[in-house]
Structure formats: structure tokens, C-alpha cells
Amino acid sequence: MAEELLNYVAGEWRRCRDATTFDNEDPAARGSVLNVVQASGPDELTEAIEAADLAFRTWRRVPLHERQACIGRFLDLVRASRDELATIVSRENGKTISEARAEIDSAIVEGTYHLHQVSAFVGHLGVDVGDGLTAWMQHHPIGVVGVISPWNFPVNVMCRKAIPALLTGNTVVFKPASFTPWCALEMAKLFVHSGLPPGVFNCVTGLGSRVGNALLDDPRVRAISFTGSTEVGKRIQARAANHLIRTQLELGGKNALIVLPDANLDDAATAAMTAGFACAGQWCTSTSRVLVHEQVADAFTARLAARCDAVRVGPPLEESTGMGPVAGPEQFASIQRAIEIGIAEGASLVTGGVCREPRATPGYYIRPTVFTGVRPEMFLFREEIFGPVLALTRVESLDQAIELANDSMYGLSSALFTRDLSAAQRYIDAIDAGLAHVNVHSGYKHPALPFGGWKQSGFGPPENSRTGLEFFVDRKAVYLKGA
Ligand code: NAP
Ligand code: MG
């Protein structure tokens, strides 16, 4: 029988009050259950908020160096559990084991960045106002923070939000995506072992549509850091307005890669493969549109198709696998539908589609898929597919490419391949996106720089960099005069 995993609330492992659970399916073997998790309702969320609110009263007064020591121990435990955690991520998300290890490594790099950055971040900023007054600005933690994460980077996204929240003295109620509850609860164990006091970090599993409002309607929750779809982000934003809950929303994208005639085509194809198909195209910063200059379109497409056909799609835990399954049945169905719409609208399928190989344990497998002849009004050009599907459109100039790249409600990431410095400058100035890459794939990022989208790809201060901490504090202007 599959193991039952419990919520972690107020320093205890707890079942839901009504003892209902849901199955965590293995995406590489349809219908098979990895474990069962709590199908929490609003009551469980409210208990977690209560615990976090109570814990905040003491955690906010814990000296920074002690909070840093706890998070430092947590990161050491993540490092020591790297293989175990990566295996869990790979099994429940479907990304390959090497992609899962890279995710853990990225969580450690970003967490370590915040661990050190926070030393310089806190402290008081004084100003000489004269009149015998001493004046300064000081930061305060805001209180209970709700963290809602997607399934595509289940470890990294939670860490990128929860670590800066905890370091700055807040307490956390974490609601992981329902596709990836196992690694969330595994990280809750690591927080326990790191010595974090009870109630400071709580993890409650359950359907977002069922428990989301319990977080958003409780005035004790002061901020929500959410990563997920634009659709759900808008719903959260509207609901958060009732209590003026602060929001940090990292949302969808439709990221373009522009390839100019002077580009190194091998490098451009490598970037399209990496950002198009890593994690089966389920990065928010995945490249999903390629705007390729007509002079090199055929040569580029041929290189790309040959590389796609060489990718070994299969079980994610096998080291030789190049691409695993997509995360679950809904993703599989929606990607399959996008491919069908692409064909029906007249785009040309160059390679890929749903995997047809017979398998003993069939999973949600889709091959690296490339379409050419994609026009701006087509579904493939406009909609975030969130799967291994690249839509190629021919362009005549850089200006046209930038105009098309910006012709989207999204503005998360982008990339340009060229050897021409002035073309690069024009693109950097004109692209409407939170991330602009030149001769680097669209998914590349560093924790010292802000990570967030423009337009409907995001709202609120971006994650990482200084803003990644600023989101979690209130500011107080103090004016002091001796009596
Ligand atoms: P999603 O459906 O929006 O879900 C994200 C999270 O929100 C999940 O934990 C989900 O819970 C929860 N949720 C669903 N309905 C909710 C509600 N009414 N109130 C509160 N929470 C609710 O997105 P996804 O399918 O998991 O992730 C893919 C999307 O995330 C893509 O659009 C991708 O671009 C985006 N993403 C963006 C970034 C970025 O940094 N910009 C990074 C990664 C992913 P359940 O799982 O229980 O439904
Ligand atoms: Mg699963």
C-alpha cells in the first residue's frame, strides 16, 4: 500500500480532520501511485495560519544570526540530501534525474545568496535631519506569509520564496502544487532537522482551488508569494485586494528567441534545445517561439530537427534519458491539444508529437516538437503551451522580430543570437521582458539579479536580488529626540 504523507503544522505531522487523501501519481507510469497526501480543506489552512501567527511573535525577535544559523543548517541538509531529494523530484515531477539535481543545486545557490545578502540588508539607514533629531529607517518583518508554488520547480521555487521570508523574520504557510507534494513535505522534514521552531514553517497539501481562499481571506496573512499561471495569479490578486494583502506574482510566459543571419547557428540551436526542451519545456522561462531570420531559417530548422530526433525520451530516473514525461494528465492533454490546434490552423509539424512507442508502463511522454510556418494570429504563437513545443516564425529584420516578440500579453524572458553589438543594444532596449539574453538561452538566471516578468507575466517586486528580500519587510521611519 502506498505510504501516507501528513501535513506539517505547528511542529506536528497531522492528518486532515476528515482524513481524506489524494493520490500522487507517477508521471512515468500512468495510474501508479507514489504515495497519498492530505486533501486539506480550509480548516487545515486556518490551523496553519494560527500556528504561523503564534510563532511570528517570537520568531520576529530571534536575532538575525540565529535565523541565519537555522537557514544555514537547512541548506546544509539540502546539500546532504541532494540525491534523495533529486530522486523524489524526478519521480513525482518527471524531469530527468540530472535536471532534478540541477534544480537542487540552483536552490542551494539562491538560498546561500539570500543567507549572505540578508546581513547587509538589515540594519538602519540614518539621515542627519538637524534640530537635535536622530532619524533613520528600519525594516520589520510583516508577519504570516503564504507561499504557493507550482510543480515545475517544486524545490527551487519554494526555497526562493520561503528562505528570504524566514531570514527577514516572517513565518510561512506553504501550499505546494498538487502534482509535487512529496518533495514539499520532504523539505518540511529538513526544516524540522534544521532546528526551526514549531509553527515558523508549515506545509499543507490540498487543491489550490479549494484552500486558496482560506489563505487570501484571512487578515492574519500579510503577504502572498505565488508562482504559477497568469489565470490563477489574477484571481489571487483580485481576492488579495480585500485585505490589501501584498502580492508577489511570478506568472506565465511566451518567451521568444530571435536568431539573426550572423548568429552562430549551432549555438542558437543549442539554446533552443536547452530552453525549449529542458524539463520537457516546462520552465516558465522556456523558449516557446523562435523568430528566425529568413536567410538562415532553413539551415537553423534542419539543425534543430536533427537534434530533436536524437533526444532519448524515456524514464526520468535513467541517466541516459534526455527528456522525461510531462508532469501529469492535464499537461499531457493540453499539450496534445495545442499540437492538434497547430496542425488544424495550418502550421507545419517538422518533428515530434505524442510518443507512440509501446511501453510496459506508459507515461505522459511527448517528443521534442517543432512547428514552422507559425503566424502571429495562431494559437501556437499566442498561448503558453508549457510543454516541449517550439513555434518557428520567419522574420525579415530585427525590427520585425522585436515587434513580434513584444506582440504578446506576456513579458517574462527572451533571447537574441547575433554577433552584431549594435543589434544586441537595440534588442536590449526594445524588448518588453524582465529578462533579456544575448547569445545565452532564455532560461539563464543569477540570484543577484531580479527574476520577474513584465506585463501579464508578473506583479510586485521580483524574486532574487535585493527585491527578493524587500518584498518581505515593512519600513518604519523613526524620528528620535532626547527628552
Ligand atoms: P497553476 O495552476 O496556476 O498552479 C500554481 C499553484 O497555485 C498550485 O500550487 C495550485 O494548486 C495553486 N492554485 C490553483 N488554484 C488556486 C487558487 N484559486 N487559489 C490559490 N492557489 C491556487 O500553475 P501550474 O500549472 O502549477 O504551473 C505552471 C504555470 O506556472 C505556468 O503558467 C508557468 O509559466 C508558471 N510559472 C511561472 C514561473 C515564474 O517565475 N514566472 C515559474 C514557474 C512556473 P494545485 O496544484 O492544487 O492546483
Ligand atoms: Mg505527481
Side-chain angles (χ1 to χ4, degrees), residues 24-25 92 179:
N24 185 7
E25 188 190 22
E92 71 174 350
F179 278 124

Side-chain angles (χ1 to χ4, degrees), residues 43-362:
D43 287 348
E44 283 71 32
L45 254 291
T46 300
E47 283 176 14
I49 294 166
E50 259 158 36
D53 188 47
L54 187 65
F56 178 61
R57 294 171 205 179
T58 41
W59 182 245
R60 66 184 303 181
R61 311 235 171 271
V62 170
L64 175 64
H65 68 271
E66 285 180 31
R67 295 202 295 258
Q68 284 174 302
C70 269
I71 299 301
R73 284 193 294 273
F74 171 75
L75 290 169
D76 287 344
L77 289 165
V78 172
R79 210 173 280 115
S81 326
R82 178 183 187 250
D83 287 341
E84 205 181 327
L85 266 179
T87 303
I88 293 173
V89 169
S90 180
R91 289 188 70 192
E92 71 174 350
N93 166 286
K95 67 176 72 177
T96 68
I97 185 70
S98 59
E99 289 166 344
R101 288 188 198 112
E103 173 175 353
I104 312 294
D105 294 343
S106 172
I108 295 168
V109 168
E110 291 182 354
T112 306
Y113 172 79
H114 287 304
L115 180 66
H116 296 145
Q117 188 198 196
V118 74
S119 302
F121 177 74
V122 294
H124 299 173
L125 195 65
V127 57
D128 180 5
V129 292
D131 296 333
L133 274 180
T134 307
W136 69 89
M137 187 274 286
Q138 62 188 39
H139 289 131
H140 292 262
I142 42 182
V144 178
V145 171
V147 169
I148 305 176
S149 71
W151 41 264
N152 65 337
F153 282 97
V155 170
N156 200 1
V157 171
M158 187 284 274
C159 288
R160 197 187 300 142
K161 296 170 182 301
I163 287 177
L166 295 170
L167 282 169
T168 45
N170 304 281
T171 54
V172 168
V173 174
F174 172 41
K175 206 302 282 177
S178 295
F179 278 124
T180 50
W182 187 9
C183 58
L185 293 162
E186 209 54 33
M187 285 188 295
K189 277 188 203 161
L190 301 185
F191 275 125
V192 177
H193 296 315
S194 72
L196 214 58
V200 172
F201 178 88
N202 307 274
C203 179
V204 178
T205 58
L207 269 187
S209 50
R210 190 160 168 244
V211 299
N213 289 349
L215 266 179
L216 291 156
D217 293 344
D218 194 318
R220 290 171 294 187
V221 175
R222 296 288 322 283
I224 296 277
S225 182
F226 167 84
T227 296
S229 60
T230 295
E231 188 194 340
V232 174
K234 285 180 186 173
R235 224 172 289 154
I236 287 177
Q237 179 71 359
R239 195 98 186 181
N242 288 333
H243 296 295
L244 293 180
I245 294 176
R246 186 180 301 182
T247 56
Q248 178 181 54
L249 309 176
E250 302 295 354
L251 309 174
K254 188 68 190 171
N255 311 301
L257 160 68
I258 301 172
V259 183
L260 293 187
D262 67 344
N264 179 323
L265 289 190
D266 283 323
D267 289 352
T270 301
M273 292 300 294
T274 303
F277 303 124
C279 298
Q282 300 168 120
W283 289 350
C284 55
T285 50
S286 285
T287 290
S288 63
R289 295 179 292 163
V290 184
L291 306 171
V292 56
H293 198 282
E294 57 192 6
Q295 284 173 24
V296 290
D298 289 340
F300 177 80
T301 307
R303 274 177 172 78
L304 194 61
R307 294 208 196 178
C308 287
D309 294 342
V311 172
R312 198 174 157 267
V313 178
L317 284 175
E318 288 177 16
E319 295 282 353
S320 60
T321 292
M323 200 172 96
V326 299
E330 287 93 340
Q331 281 64 43
F332 185 79
S334 77
I335 298 163
Q336 194 174 14
R337 181 171 160 267
I339 293 172
E340 283 162 7
I341 294 174
I343 294 168
E345 287 188 340
S348 310
L349 179 66
V350 176
T351 183
V354 168
C355 262
R356 306 258 173 235
E357 302 104 281
R359 286 178 192 279
T361 52

